[in-house]
Amino acid sequence: MEKSPQLAPEAPAAPKDGASIPVGDAENRAENTAEQRAAPRLTLLIRAAKLVSSSGEFVCIVRDVSDTGVSVRLFHAPPQGDDLELHMPGGARYALQNVWSRGTEAGFEFPEPVDVTQVVSEAGDYPKRGLRIDLRFPIRIRTATGDSEAVIENLSQQGARFESDARFAIDQNLRLESAQSEPALADVRAKVRWRRDNRYGAVFDDTFTLANFARFVARAQAPDLLE
């Protein structure tokens, strides 16, 4: 996967008007053109995405992509399994097949060739948004008036969506902490941004770094990947 794009060989100088092209040169040029068309188009791309497997959703950095495959870097060992997908922030999803892994890096093939331009531009039916991980775990919410129970439904570097029977006001200050030992969420200060029935969206006062976010969600789903 991690190969530099091959430069096209320099074409021979065009013949002068009226001059013929030697048969051998013409065949070589035709072969070179065919090879260039057959070679995968490699595009360097540094973008956060989700690597989804049967064991959960994991943060990755897309390093480069071609029409036949992609290489990524994670913040822990890559998840294993046959049912893997790459979820881009814009909503596009691509099935993957394992090819190689080395430390925190991995390479995958697409079962069918993809449009590299579409991958890079993230053309899709959904607007671009921050990377969110679907992750459920119980939390305790502390406010000035007391404590309440809730369940995190998804998480991002900047905030979380949670479900609770308690009532919170828009812009109310909260302190979130895990209701169990793992995942270890402790005294995270947040503010309510929206409310819909018993679901709430909160933004964190202090955001996760991408590395800390990636390790947190890995520890919550597959802690063996961090060993």
Side-chain angles (χ1 to χ4, degrees):
M1 285 298 308
E2 296 186 331
K3 296 181 180 178
S4 300
Q6 294 184 350
L7 298 178
E10 184 176 353
K16 297 180 180 179
D17 292 341
S20 61
I21 302 175
V23 174
D25 289 350
E27 291 176 347
N28 289 337
R29 291 173 64 181
E31 290 176 359
N32 288 337
T33 300
E35 289 176 358
Q36 292 170 35
R37 289 175 179 170
R41 295 171 295 165
L42 189 67
T43 300
L44 298 179
L45 180 67
I46 306 299
R47 182 167 296 165
K50 290 195 300 187
L51 189 59
V52 181
S53 75
S54 58
S55 55
E57 301 184 352
F58 304 94
V59 178
C60 68
I61 303 294
V62 178
R63 300 291 296 274
D64 56 54
V65 62
S66 73
D67 52 2
T68 59
V70 63
S71 69
V72 304
R73 180 175 66 84
L74 297 99
F75 298 86
H76 45 75
Q80 302 300 309
D82 296 327
D83 298 327
L84 293 170
E85 283 190 339
L86 179 68
H87 291 197
M88 301 298 287
R93 300 183 178 189
Y94 303 93
L96 301 175
Q97 295 175 344
N98 275 307
V99 176
W100 59 266
S101 63
R102 183 173 58 250
T104 60
E105 299 181 350
F108 306 94
E109 284 183 344
F110 299 124
E112 299 292 337
V114 303
D115 184 342
V116 175
T117 302
Q118 184 178 20
V119 178
V120 174
S121 64
E122 294 186 60
D125 298 328
Y126 304 96
K128 295 180 182 179
R129 63 177 186 174
L131 196 65
R132 293 178 179 271
I133 301 294
D134 289 334
L135 184 64
R136 292 183 64 89
F137 61 94
I139 60 169
R140 184 177 298 105
I141 299 179
R142 300 187 182 279
T143 67
T145 58
D147 297 352
S148 303
E149 296 180 350
V151 175
I152 291 284
E153 294 184 322
N154 67 37
L155 197 66
S156 72
Q157 288 177 257
Q158 296 81 25
R161 187 181 77 203
F162 64 87
E163 182 180 10
S164 178
D165 292 332
R167 299 292 291 178
F168 304 105
I170 302 300
D171 290 335
Q172 184 174 355
N173 292 317
L174 311 174
R175 290 193 175 189
L176 315 180
E177 62 180 38
S178 298
Q180 54 193 28
S181 58
E182 291 292 345
L185 193 70
D187 197 27
V188 174
R189 299 186 181 190
K191 183 174 293 186
V192 176
R193 275 290 175 255
W194 58 264
R195 180 181 67 213
R196 194 155 48 241
D197 297 327
N198 64 338
R199 284 186 167 86
Y200 296 84
V203 294
F204 301 144
D205 290 355
D206 297 311
T207 61
F208 281 101
T209 65
L210 187 63
N212 287 341
F213 179 56
R215 295 186 184 105
F216 178 88
V217 298
R219 185 174 295 108
Q221 301 171 100
D224 56 308
L225 296 179
L226 293 165
E227 296 178 358

